[in-house]
Amino acid sequence: MSVSTSSTSQVETNPRGIPKAPFVSNVDDYLDGTDSSVESTLNKFQEMIAKYRYMELNVQNRRKGLDEKIPDIAKTLAMVEFLKDRRDRKLGKKAKKDDDDDDLDDDLEDEDDEAADDAPLKTTFELNDTLYAEAEIEESELVYLWLGANVMLAYPLDEAQALLSSKLAGAQQTRANAVEDLEWLREQITVMEVNLARVYNWDVRRRREAKAKGIEGTDEK
Amino acid sequence: MRLLNQEDEADESTEVTWEDQQRINTFSKYNQRLQDIEDLLQKKKTEKEYLDDVAMELELADEDEPVMYKIGETIVHIKLSQAQKLLEKEHKSIDEEISGLQNRVEECENGMKELKVLLYAKFGNAINLETNPI
């Protein structure tokens, strides 16, 4: 039988190694016609569906996790970019090369902004749920990023931005892969369900024909 | 759902080939994708409306008063002109996202349209590909 698990080497998979479900186009060819083969095939198909469903559940959870993580990273990145932009401007080294495509007229405006920007940045931040406090932030080149596992590390703004951007891109890529995997899994599940139904119907028809002919001999039960 | 009569069973069962099955699967994939994208698109559109509201509000704001602008989890007190600049940036990025999503919606719809023609041609009434049954 072509579905045997030993033949993994030639089974098609998607980029993340999830195997492709075989399609049974002709039940007669697929089964060798004995009762036991019908039963074992049905069982095997059901088992494969269960496996696919289990994978589907896992990937769904992974996707949900990423859906929560991505906005967090994006928010942090937005803040770092804001701080960096502010600092760059203060230092008068606003990277003219970087933004000159759309910021030409903005640059003029920035000139007058600079004077007023000298004061420390005033922020309102959440101290606890529904409780906010004000803080003034002194100009600094460093930001502290939570790396997880109760570790916080100081990064220069440039590096923080680079790090967060790459993390964001990575998370988005992983999410895209997860979505692709889900689509793939759903497809395989459909194929397997169709296979199951085909074999089952084929069996029903065969039994009925056997009964109609009154040939009990072919029926081993 | 209904049970088929025994006679109908054999007659109506047009042979579903591997090719057809793949088409059906692809159709279902597009359908699922379309729903996901439309949900997301809806969210982004609401977000954009919020941004529009903010822009309106800032038009009316006092130039000399600092604006409390939320970035991430924190609110920063900045000048009006700066807030407007940041807002403009956000507007731009959300517009890009929305148009990107709309392109993908179109892609899905076109794919589904093509498959519908093929599948209805082969299976006729035996298959239903409409999201809203009439």
Side-chain angles (χ1 to χ4, degrees):
Chain A
M1 261 177 236
S2 55
V3 236
S4 64
T5 38
S6 57
S7 61
T8 30
S9 52
Q10 68 213 43
V11 170
E12 253 185 272
T13 66
N14 85 335
R16 254 78 53 199
I18 301 172
K20 190 183 171 86
F23 180 74
V24 181
S25 52
N26 190 331
V27 186
D28 279 316
D29 293 346
Y30 190 73
L31 300 174
D32 54 23
T34 62
D35 271 342
S36 60
S37 84
V38 172
E39 195 127 316
S40 70
T41 306
L42 288 177
N43 282 337
K44 197 171 68 194
F45 282 1
Q46 237 141 14
E47 199 183 297
M48 285 172 76
I49 292 176
K51 279 182 190 162
Y52 277 129
R53 286 211 188 284
Y54 178 70
M55 279 192 262
E56 190 189 19
L57 201 70
N58 275 338
V59 180
Q60 251 164 3
N61 284 335
R62 197 183 330 145
R63 185 186 136 173
K64 251 183 243 157
L66 285 165
D67 277 344
E68 283 166 20
K69 212 170 111 189
I70 288 174
D72 273 352
I73 301 177
K75 277 180 191 168
T76 315
L77 181 60
M79 195 49 168
V80 170
E81 275 174 350
F82 172 76
L83 290 172
K84 183 172 179 292
D85 188 49
R86 200 182 141 81
R87 183 173 173 80
D88 285 353
R89 236 174 326 144
K90 183 163 274 174
L91 296 179
K93 62 162 186 180
K94 178 150 173 77
K96 295 222 160 72
K97 277 175 216 152
D98 288 354
D99 314 55
D100 58 3
D101 34 272
D102 55 345
D103 270 357
L104 269 182
D105 32 9
D106 285 351
D107 276 346
L108 291 173
E109 256 178 73
D110 288 341
E111 306 290 319
D112 357 306
D113 281 352
E114 259 170 59
D117 264 356
D118 272 345
L121 177 66
K122 205 173 181 192
T123 66
T124 305
F125 67 96
E126 196 168 24
L127 199 58
N128 204 335
D129 275 349
T130 69
L131 175 63
Y132 286 82
E134 288 199 347
E136 285 190 350
I137 296 179
E138 300 235 342
E139 211 43 56
S140 161
E141 203 214 342
L142 294 175
V143 282
Y144 295 81
L145 298 182
W146 279 111
L147 296 184
N150 283 331
V151 175
M152 209 180 210
L153 210 58
Y155 283 90
L157 286 169
D158 289 342
E159 281 180 35
Q161 188 189 17
L163 177 77
L164 287 167
S165 304
S166 77
K167 285 262 179 272
L168 184 63
Q172 275 163 344
Q173 184 56 49
T174 320
R175 188 184 174 278
N177 287 349
V179 171
E180 208 181 286
D181 282 353
L182 277 179
E183 285 177 348
W184 174 264
L185 280 167
R186 255 181 230 127
E187 211 166 288
Q188 308 319 310
I189 289 172
T190 313
V191 171
M192 286 314 295
E193 277 172 350
V194 169
N195 285 343
L196 191 68
R198 276 167 172 259
V199 173
Y200 190 81
N201 287 343
W202 178 85
D203 189 40
V204 167
R205 203 171 304 147
R206 190 188 56 120
R207 278 170 199 270
R208 194 187 293 138
E209 275 164 16
K211 218 180 196 175
K213 281 182 197 155
I215 308 166
E216 300 289 13
T218 52
D219 232 357
E220 280 155 35
K221 269 188 188 170
Chain B
M1 284 273 225
R2 71 193 162 96
L3 286 174
L4 292 172
N5 292 327
Q6 278 200 19
E7 299 86 60
D8 297 346
E9 218 175 82
D11 296 337
E12 282 192 30
S13 64
T14 318
E15 187 58 35
V16 181
T17 63
W18 175 221
E19 227 167 45
D20 299 325
Q21 186 61 49
Q22 276 173 317
R23 282 190 189 130
I24 294 171
N25 287 345
T26 314
F27 186 85
S28 138
K29 195 165 76 185
Y30 278 138
N31 195 24
Q32 183 67 40
R33 209 184 273 172
L34 190 63
Q35 276 170 17
D36 284 350
I37 297 172
E38 271 177 348
D39 284 350
L40 195 62
L41 192 59
Q42 204 50 51
K43 267 187 219 153
K44 293 285 173 197
K45 276 186 177 158
T46 330
E47 234 171 86
K48 188 182 154 74
E49 271 170 36
Y50 291 153
L51 289 181
D52 285 341
D53 288 351
V54 173
M56 288 276 270
E57 208 64 44
L58 282 183
E59 289 291 318
L60 305 170
D62 190 343
E63 279 233 29
D64 303 321
E65 290 275 312
V67 181
M68 290 168 79
Y69 196 89
K70 193 171 183 190
I71 302 176
E73 301 292 323
T74 316
I75 299 157
V76 293
H77 302 229
I78 51 176
K79 289 185 61 182
L80 179 63
S81 59
Q82 214 188 342
Q84 279 172 326
K85 229 180 285 168
L86 286 173
L87 189 66
E88 211 177 283
K89 229 180 178 178
E90 280 195 56
H91 239 127
K92 216 159 125 197
S93 81
I94 206 154
D95 278 341
E96 273 167 25
E97 277 183 74
I98 287 179
S99 70
L101 287 174
Q102 270 162 345
N103 283 344
R104 293 188 55 199
V105 165
E106 235 166 78
E107 234 171 72
C108 287
E109 278 173 347
N110 287 339
M112 283 166 80
K113 222 183 275 168
E114 273 172 38
L115 288 167
K116 254 187 205 178
V117 174
L118 288 171
L119 287 169
Y120 274 133
K122 168 129 191 200
F123 296 104
N125 284 333
I127 196 166
N128 179 20
L129 303 170
E130 306 306 321
T131 328
N132 306 312
I134 312 146

